[in-house]
Amino acid sequence: MQGRKPADRRVRVERPHSPYFRYTGPGQMVAKAAAHTPKTALGRTWARIRGVAIGRPLASEEEAGERLSKKKALAIFSSDAISSSAYATQEIIRVLAVAGATALAFSVGVSIAIAVLLAVVATSYRQVCRAYPGGGGAYAVAKENLNPLLGLVAAAALLIDYVMTVAVSTASAIGQIASVVPELGAVKIEIAVVVIFLMTVANLRGLRESGNIFAIPTYAFLGLALLMVGLGLVNVVTGAAHPITTPNAEALSGGELSIFLLLKAFAGGSVALTGVEAIANGVPAFKAPEAKNAANTMTAMALLLGVLFIGITVIAHAYQILPTVGDIPTTVSLVAGNVFGGGSVLFVAFQVATALILFLAANTSFNAFPRLGAILAVDGYMPRQFSYRGDRLAYSWGIIVLSSVAAFLIWLFGGNVTALIPLYSVGVFVCFTLSQIGMVIHWRTVRESGWQWRLVLNAFGAVLTAVVLVVVVSVKFIDGAYLVVILIPTLVALMLFIRRQYDASRRELSVRQDLVFRTPHREERAVVPIPGVNRAVIQAVNVARSVADDVRAVFITENPEDGAAIRERWERQVPGVPLVVVESPYRALTGPLEAYLDVLDSAWPPDKPAPITFVVLPEYVARSWWERILYNQSVKRLRSSLLGRPHTVVVNVPYRREDPTMFERAHAGSSEDAPETEPPEDAGAA
Amino acid sequence: MQRHSGRCLATPARGSDKVAAVPSDAHAVPSFRRAVVALSGHPNGQRLVRLVAELAKAHKAELIGVHVVEIDWSMPLDMDVAGRSEEIQRVLDVAEGTAESAGVKLEPVLLQARDVGAALVDETVEREADLLVVGLAYRTKFGGDFAIGRTIPYILKNAPCAVWVVREPIQEEIQ
């Protein structure tokens, strides 16, 4: 370019790497978004579809790292626990109703016993918050303090717990909606599946729970639920709460009240404790001082959950609410309907808020499950794909697996919350117990100030949750808990198997740190299986010539006359490359080639190291999907048969259609002996 | 293009690792719509780019980062010197990345010329930029002084637009 003065010329230098890469240090580049753009039309179309569905790809540095205040954290981490008050009372009533209406009087006592358990668990988890400011998931605590196997048991239980959270919360949320619009009860499975699909898409888009929008449903529910409990208790105290006729009530069977039944009611209601550990898992997300804020939030959450749970149970008992067929209407909706007035604005608002907090509770698993899957994948217990983050920084594999299994469970159990609950509590109490035992070991090891009373507290929590675990498993075993009892060891075995596979491959691939690798001295030879003489073959032979001095072409045919014809043409057009014609009277292709390679190997001098044999396969590049069916079938067969062969490298040389003149200029020696330019009708050894 | 007299805006700094003090009200700075930023490859360059990027963001202005490789008269001007050098490419790439992290797009331009000052002015004219920003290095040797050289005086004299000279913080300021 000419400048303003005669001598002021300048040259603009092209920077071909610039659209795709950026140098950040010596020998170090960072790929730009354009480097990820697919090159094919099909790939670009798929990328556009994905862009519309889940948004543009995000760079790793775009990940938000917001710290949460206590108020926000309470809304975000407690939605799972607090929302369980929407169905825990229902589970107690359902069990006690077996012994008739008089047995329902025990529901309040059972709920108080569960609230005491909640207090113990929450106090124990406050210790976890303080001891593990980096996040004290049951897996981390058990792995560190107990042993990796028990860590895996905790992980398996957690994975099941997260799946069940999605299934139960979604099913319950649909139940709340159907309590207002009963017609929707007929399509509850379909609605649940659509909701799970929408949550999946939202999470694949990289939905974060830090936004204020996530705090609204929790506080709306808390406000309305506390108002409902307050008004309901006033009704109870003033005697305004009269027994009602429960619509769609199940027929009471008139069984006998027994200790077993009370324990079963306790086990059913203990579902209220699900999600309590979420705060301990998310300590790093709190504002400083993280541990203290998390512990205080844990206390607030436990208090709120306890008040709501006992309050709803007391009111339900006062109104003599019975279990309903298919859980529609739900117990909590009947309580709200009687306190606020059925069909009132407050009733509808409460039902909407309940459904929203339940959806939010389901959504918490979409963050927790993939994150745990990624941790397990990094530790080698899950396939590595679980640790890869997708375009939107979300662990796509974990999200898809979680939503698929949860949707399947909802379909399998007909969207019935009661049918799903037995699978839920077992995993939760396994985690509680292991986590508390882990904390006992932790305090004994670190022995920091006040370790004795902390140890006692966690030991008490461990014993109590272990007892509840035994109770839950025994009383719900036939109802479905046996599935979890089978599933946890199965998952643990699967994770151990995966770890063993990864360990084995790591050992096989490991390189000693003290070794220095120099240019190899092994000899090379190349074998080119050819289907005839065409451009793809010529290109493959030229590639073979560039990697080895010893190059030979192999033509496998069932017709001896073809062999003679090819030989004549080959020797004329490709001088210097010996052609071996292998007649194959049984019309096989891979067998004779492998046998020929065996012969070559056996002919090699035994005192010399075995050479590397490059099998160079000419391949014709298909332009579209349907062309792939027409070409390269033999190449695929040869490649798969040679993949495990020792000292053998399979090289694919793709021939892309190009101008005949260009091809001749690139490959032919001179114009006199230029090869003919017929279309490659027999390309790709096909 | 109308010819403006060169104008020097010396921007004080508050520490080597910080962006030079961006005025609290960025709109108080004379506005510009397209700026050419001279990238010398000096470590101070990143600070310079960050400063200009912050201001460009406030004014929604375009940034063009220009690195000029001076070619000796003994060699042909179009000789492949800069294209192959990773180090030279890195000067532009780092500037591009710095601007991007400030939320501004910077177009990197690599030039080979006989004279850096003339190339920068010519590129500014061709791009119709209304601002040319250059950095002024501080040399600590011999008691410390600003190395004004011959490029900055040339630019100040010949640039047909506003010129900002952003000085590197002197040692006392860093301490």
Side-chain angles (χ1 to χ4, degrees):
Chain A
M1 290 174 288
Q2 181 61 55
R4 292 181 306 168
K5 296 173 188 170
D8 290 347
R9 283 173 60 236
R10 67 193 193 284
V11 173
R12 185 161 294 149
V13 182
E14 291 297 323
R15 305 175 70 234
H17 79 283
S18 182
Y20 305 104
F21 298 99
R22 181 181 295 151
Y23 281 104
T24 53
Q28 197 174 328
M29 293 172 130
V30 172
K32 291 184 181 177
H36 303 283
T37 310
K39 301 287 181 286
T40 62
L42 192 69
R44 280 194 297 271
T45 309
W46 176 234
R48 266 197 291 273
I49 293 168
R50 282 186 358 155
V52 171
I54 65 168
R56 70 168 181 92
L58 293 175
S60 303
E61 64 207 24
E62 290 181 75
E63 184 164 38
E66 192 190 348
R67 292 298 187 102
L68 301 172
S69 66
K70 279 186 281 187
K71 281 181 198 154
K72 225 169 174 180
L74 177 72
I76 288 160
F77 290 123
S78 305
S79 59
D80 185 6
I82 289 174
S83 68
S84 52
S85 64
Y87 48 80
T89 302
Q90 181 175 293
E91 295 310 308
I92 299 174
I93 291 174
R94 177 167 293 285
V95 177
L96 291 176
V98 173
T102 49
L104 292 176
F106 288 91
S107 61
V108 177
V110 171
S111 69
I112 290 170
I114 293 167
V116 170
L117 177 66
L118 168 68
V120 173
V121 170
T123 315
S124 303
Y125 265 104
R126 278 176 58 93
Q127 308 304 317
V128 180
C129 294
R130 289 181 189 281
Y132 287 90
Y139 171 63
V141 175
K143 191 179 84 166
E144 190 182 314
N145 296 299
L146 302 172
N147 61 48
L149 186 67
L150 287 173
L152 288 185
V153 172
L158 273 173
L159 291 174
I160 295 169
D161 182 18
Y162 293 141
V163 172
M164 293 314 299
T165 300
V166 176
V168 171
S169 299
T170 309
S172 180
I174 307 294
Q176 304 303 333
I177 296 168
S179 300
V180 182
V181 190
E183 294 76 25
L184 293 178
V187 286
K188 62 180 180 182
I189 297 175
E190 290 80 356
I191 297 174
V193 171
V194 169
V195 167
I196 289 177
F197 173 75
L198 291 176
M199 279 194 281
T200 307
V201 172
N203 281 282
L204 287 174
R205 287 184 73 97
L207 182 75
R208 289 287 175 272
E209 290 179 328
S210 51
N212 283 325
I213 195 152
F214 284 95
I216 294 167
T218 309
Y219 280 111
F221 173 79
L222 275 175
L224 288 164
L226 287 172
L227 180 66
M228 180 185 75
V229 168
L231 291 176
L233 290 178
V234 169
N235 288 351
V236 173
V237 172
T238 56
H242 303 294
I244 57 151
T245 309
T246 306
N248 197 27
E250 275 186 0
L252 298 178
S253 56
E256 278 188 21
L257 183 67
S258 61
I259 295 289
F260 179 78
L261 204 65
L262 283 174
L263 285 175
K264 201 171 176 187
F266 178 83
S270 62
V271 76
L273 271 70
T274 54
V276 166
E277 75 291 348
I279 291 175
N281 293 350
V283 181
F286 280 79
K287 279 183 179 168
E290 292 87 351
K292 190 182 168 198
N293 286 340
N296 291 342
T297 310
M298 173 75 80
T299 307
M301 185 266 289
L303 278 172
L304 285 167
L305 176 56
V307 167
L308 289 181
F309 178 44
I310 296 176
I312 290 169
T313 312
V314 168
I315 300 165
H317 173 244
Y319 285 106
Q320 291 288 304
I321 292 169
L322 299 174
T324 53
V325 178
D327 297 331
I328 293 173
T330 59
T331 302
V332 76
S333 75
L334 289 169
V335 170
N338 282 289
V339 172
F340 292 138
S344 67
V345 175
L346 278 175
F347 168 70
V348 175
F350 175 76
Q351 287 305 108
V352 171
T354 311
L356 285 177
I357 196 178
L358 283 163
F359 286 136
L360 191 54
N363 193 65
T364 56
S365 289
F366 276 91
N367 269 327
F369 181 98
R371 210 182 299 135
L372 177 61
I375 292 169
L376 288 167
V378 169
D379 288 351
Y381 293 113
M382 295 266 269
R384 288 189 186 121
Q385 291 90 320
F386 280 87
S387 65
Y388 301 155
R389 292 198 290 177
D391 285 350
R392 304 285 294 182
L393 300 171
Y395 295 107
S396 314
W397 266 70
I399 290 169
I400 289 166
V401 168
L402 171 68
S403 56
S404 309
V405 179
F408 173 72
L409 282 176
I410 287 181
W411 170 79
L412 192 69
F413 289 88
N416 189 332
V417 175
T418 307
L420 287 161
I421 291 285
L423 283 79
Y424 201 0
S425 317
V426 178
V428 176
F429 282 98
V430 167
C431 292
F432 285 165
T433 309
L434 287 174
S435 182
Q436 301 309 310
I437 297 171
M439 287 306 295
V440 171
I441 310 282
H442 171 83
W443 295 126
R444 236 185 62 178
T445 315
V446 298
R447 289 175 186 257
E448 60 189 37
S449 119
W451 68 273
Q452 292 97 336
W453 71 264
R454 292 178 200 274
L455 185 147
V456 171
L457 192 68
N458 281 124
F460 180 61
V463 171
L464 200 60
T465 49
V467 170
V468 177
L469 173 64
V470 173
V471 170
V472 170
V473 172
S474 13
V475 298
K476 289 185 171 182
F477 194 78
I478 301 167
D479 297 338
Y482 72 92
L483 278 175
V484 183
V485 173
I486 296 168
L487 210 54
I488 288 178
T490 310
L491 276 175
V492 171
L494 190 66
M495 287 192 273
L496 285 172
F497 172 77
I498 292 169
R499 174 65 190 252
R500 209 179 63 181
Q501 290 299 311
Y502 279 138
D503 281 349
S505 65
R506 198 175 298 121
R507 270 196 305 274
E508 283 164 13
L509 291 168
S510 68
V511 171
R512 265 173 44 203
Q513 301 246 1
D514 56 324
L515 291 180
V516 177
F517 298 93
R518 297 192 171 79
T519 313
H521 298 294
R522 283 170 70 179
E523 289 184 45
E524 292 110 9
R525 65 183 171 206
V527 174
V528 189
I530 61 163
V533 181
N534 59 46
R535 288 183 207 153
V537 166
I538 299 299
Q539 186 179 264
V541 167
N542 282 352
V543 169
R545 280 163 154 169
S546 67
V547 294
D549 294 330
D550 178 3
V551 179
R552 63 196 73 194
V554 180
F555 179 65
I556 299 169
T557 178
E558 56 189 88
N559 187 353
E561 290 165 9
D562 284 353
I566 284 286
R567 181 179 296 284
E568 183 277 320
R569 192 175 166 192
W570 186 264
E571 285 172 356
R572 178 167 52 82
Q573 288 192 286
V574 196
V577 178
L579 174 71
V580 179
V581 176
V582 179
E583 287 183 26
S584 174
Y586 299 101
R587 299 163 301 284
L589 176 69
T590 55
L593 181 71
E594 283 183 81
Y596 174 70
L597 293 173
D598 288 342
V599 170
L600 281 182
D601 286 348
S602 57
W604 190 258
D607 54 322
K608 286 169 74 178
I612 297 170
T613 305
F614 291 92
V615 180
V616 183
L617 301 174
E619 192 174 351
Y620 183 60
V621 175
R623 282 179 182 168
S624 55
W625 63 269
W626 57 267
E627 278 194 351
R628 285 188 203 120
I629 303 167
L630 300 179
Y631 303 108
N632 303 320
Q633 300 309 319
S634 304
V635 170
K636 284 178 193 160
R637 273 163 53 209
L638 286 173
R639 190 169 46 211
S640 52
S641 69
L642 295 170
L643 268 180
R645 194 181 168 83
H647 312 299
T648 305
V649 178
V650 180
V651 182
N652 276 55
V653 181
Y655 174 78
R656 292 170 188 83
R657 271 166 270 199
E658 55 187 271
D659 182 62
T661 328
M662 295 276 287
F663 177 84
E664 285 159 20
R665 202 175 297 149
H667 297 282
S670 65
S671 58
E672 286 82 33
D673 56 7
E676 57 194 76
T677 56
E678 61 183 40
E681 74 288 343
D682 53 352
Chain B
M1 181 185 278
Q2 200 182 350
R3 188 184 167 95
H4 301 275
S5 59
R7 199 146 54 95
C8 180
L9 180 89
T11 313
R14 292 284 177 269
S16 61
D17 58 336
K18 290 182 185 168
V19 176
V22 178
S24 55
D25 180 9
H27 291 280
V29 174
S31 79
F32 58 97
R33 57 178 179 77
R34 189 175 298 147
V36 165
V37 185
L39 303 166
S40 63
H42 188 273
N44 190 36
Q46 235 175 308
R47 201 181 126 270
L48 169 74
V49 172
R50 223 174 297 155
L51 166 71
V52 183
E54 294 287 345
L55 295 170
K57 196 177 178 183
H59 292 292
K60 294 188 174 68
E62 289 173 40
L63 288 186
I64 301 157
V66 181
H67 181 64
V68 185
V69 178
E70 212 165 54
I71 303 293
D72 190 81
W73 283 97
S74 62
M75 289 191 285
L77 189 60
D78 56 359
M79 193 177 174
D80 188 7
V81 176
R84 290 186 186 181
S85 165
E86 187 189 307
E87 201 179 335
I88 290 170
Q89 300 289 356
R90 206 164 56 230
V91 171
L92 287 161
D93 287 347
V94 167
E96 192 188 9
T98 306
E100 206 169 87
S101 61
V104 179
K105 195 169 159 37
L106 177 140
E107 183 193 338
V109 175
L110 180 56
L111 299 175
Q112 287 186 177
R114 301 293 183 200
D115 182 84
V116 175
L120 283 170
V121 170
D122 288 338
E123 190 70 16
T124 307
V125 172
E126 193 186 300
R127 299 291 187 130
E128 297 181 353
D130 51 2
L131 176 66
L132 175 53
V133 187
V134 286
L136 176 56
Y138 182 75
R139 303 234 167 110
T140 50
K141 284 179 185 171
F142 310 116
D145 200 359
F146 285 104
I148 195 105
R150 59 188 174 87
T151 301
I152 292 177
Y154 179 92
I155 289 171
L156 291 171
K157 198 173 170 187
N158 293 285
C161 61
V163 178
W164 292 357
V165 181
V166 181
R167 68 174 169 88
E168 186 184 9
I170 59 175
Q171 205 61 32
E172 288 77 17
E173 283 177 337
I174 297 167
Q175 283 162 358

